[in-house]
Amino acid sequence: QKEVEQNSGPLSVPEGAIASLNCTYSDRGSQSFFWYRQYSGKSPELIMFIYSNGDKEDGRFTAQLNKASQYVSLLIRDSQPSDSATYLCAVLDNAGNMLTFGGGTRLMVKP
Amino acid sequence: SAVISQKPSRDICQRGTSLTIQCQVDSQVTMMFWYRQQPGQSLTLIATANQGSEATYESGFVIDKFPISRPNLTFSTLTVSNMSPEDSSIYLCSVEGQGKAETQYFGPGTRLLVL
């Protein structure tokens, strides 16, 4: 059973702070990793993907991948109240066929 | 990314009935996926639908309960059959992205309540 684990939260940070969201996965052969943002009542929206060890930056978002430790994280700099949402970590299996989602972390950014 | 639409956006149904959900994409895609998101939960893959072949169902999901059609490269349907209140969920279709990332993009979802 391939598993993707996230702390359900809520993670509460003040406006302007850095939010750090973490995800671990069980399938060591996984190659591609994704972060989705889901606002309440909406469908998931892709915000980042990463498939190489290290950091990948896109605006205020940085994805970090450590395959040896089997974790992937998402940093959100200068957090805004509009960042308040559930963040879903997703891992693509080695065959590139199936995307497994974590349970999501609810982020609350307080003004 | 592709533009994906779903119909209906929401519905309230009586137990024992069936509902067919449509997913339309504005470009041709090989793989389409159907997910279920139960209240307060994450996404669970129901099945993968490739055009011209039978859908591939994940553990816990069967064709008799969730029949899927994929008549062409831009359209798919998911039917929720003989519904019970436990089927109350958001049903999402997604399509594969282009390029190396092999990601998926989601439609807006269908919110189903079964009474």
Side-chain angles (χ1 to χ4, degrees), chain A residues 34 36 38 41 43 98 101-102, chain B residues 37 42 58 101 103-104 107 111:
Chain A
F34 308 89
Y36 288 83
Q38 187 174 26
S43 63
M98 183 172 174
F101 284 84
Chain B
Q37 187 173 30
S42 189
E58 297 302 314
T103 187
Q104 293 179 23
R111 287 151 185 79

Side-chain angles (χ1 to χ4, degrees), chain A residues 6 32 34 36 38 41-46 49 51 88 92 95-104, chain B residues 31 33 35 37 40-45 48 58 90 92 100-109 111:
Chain A
Q6 295 181 256
S32 302
F34 308 89
Y36 288 83
Q38 187 174 26
K42 302 295 184 181
S43 63
E45 171 193 11
L46 179 69
F49 63 85
Y51 37 81
L88 299 167
L92 190 65
N97 294 328
M98 183 172 174
L99 203 58
T100 300
F101 284 84
Chain B
M31 298 176 75
F33 307 88
Y35 288 83
Q37 187 173 30
Q41 303 297 314
S42 189
L43 284 77
T44 301
L45 180 64
T48 302
E58 297 302 314
I90 300 172
L92 296 145
K100 191 175 182 180
E102 298 175 302
T103 187
Q104 293 179 23
Y105 297 95
F106 287 85
R111 287 151 185 79

Side-chain angles (χ1 to χ4, degrees), chain B residues 40-99:
Chain B
Q41 303 297 314
S42 189
L43 284 77
T44 301
L45 180 64
I46 297 172
T48 302
N50 292 338
Q51 194 267 336
S53 63
E54 295 289 329
T56 301
Y57 289 82
E58 297 302 314
S59 176
F61 298 97
V62 295
I63 188 171
D64 290 346
K65 176 68 175 178
F66 297 101
I68 288 172
S69 77
R70 183 76 201 277
N72 57 53
L73 291 173
T74 62
F75 187 78
S76 179
T77 67
L78 169 76
T79 299
V80 186
S81 303
N82 187 25
M83 288 183 287
S84 67
E86 292 71 33
D87 294 320
S88 297
S89 288
I90 300 172
Y91 291 86
L92 296 145
C93 72
S94 73
V95 302
E96 57 179 353
Q98 302 300 316

Side-chain angles (χ1 to χ4, degrees), chain A:
Chain A
Q1 179 85 12
K2 297 170 184 175
E3 296 182 344
V4 179
E5 300 287 342
Q6 295 181 256
N7 188 317
S8 62
L11 172 65
S12 182
V13 300
E15 183 175 358
I18 296 175
S20 178
L21 306 164
N22 298 313
C23 171
T24 60
Y25 58 95
S26 64
D27 183 6
R28 185 171 287 277
S30 301
Q31 296 296 320
S32 302
F33 308 86
F34 308 89
W35 284 99
Y36 288 83
R37 177 176 62 198
Q38 187 174 26
Y39 292 113
S40 180
K42 302 295 184 181
S43 63
E45 171 193 11
L46 179 69
I47 53 173
M48 289 285 289
F49 63 85
I50 186 169
Y51 37 81
S52 299
N53 276 326
D55 295 0
K56 179 182 179 183
E57 186 175 320
D58 184 1
R60 294 187 297 112
F61 299 99
T62 299
Q64 299 175 317
L65 174 61
N66 184 324
K67 290 185 179 179
S69 301
Q70 294 177 242
Y71 84 79
V72 57
S73 63
L74 180 69
L75 301 178
I76 306 175
R77 290 182 300 279
D78 188 23
S79 295
Q80 302 297 310
S82 59
D83 294 326
S84 298
T86 296
Y87 289 80
L88 299 167
C89 171
V91 177
L92 190 65
D93 68 5
N94 195 27
N97 294 328
M98 183 172 174
L99 203 58
T100 300
F101 284 84
T105 298
R106 183 179 165 211
L107 173 66
M108 298 173 59
V109 181
K110 296 186 174 181

Side-chain angles (χ1 to χ4, degrees), chain B residues 8-50:
Chain B
S9 60
R10 61 179 67 239
D11 207 342
I12 300 173
C13 301
Q14 297 297 320
R15 70 172 65 209
T17 63
S18 298
L19 176 72
T20 295
I21 302 168
Q22 299 178 6
C23 180
Q24 180 76 53
V25 190
D26 70 343
S27 59
Q28 293 184 338
V29 293
T30 302
M31 298 176 75
M32 296 179 74
F33 307 88
W34 286 99
Y35 288 83
R36 181 175 72 183
Q37 187 173 30
Q38 294 179 303
Q41 303 297 314
S42 189
L43 284 77
T44 301
L45 180 64
I46 297 172
T48 302
N50 292 338

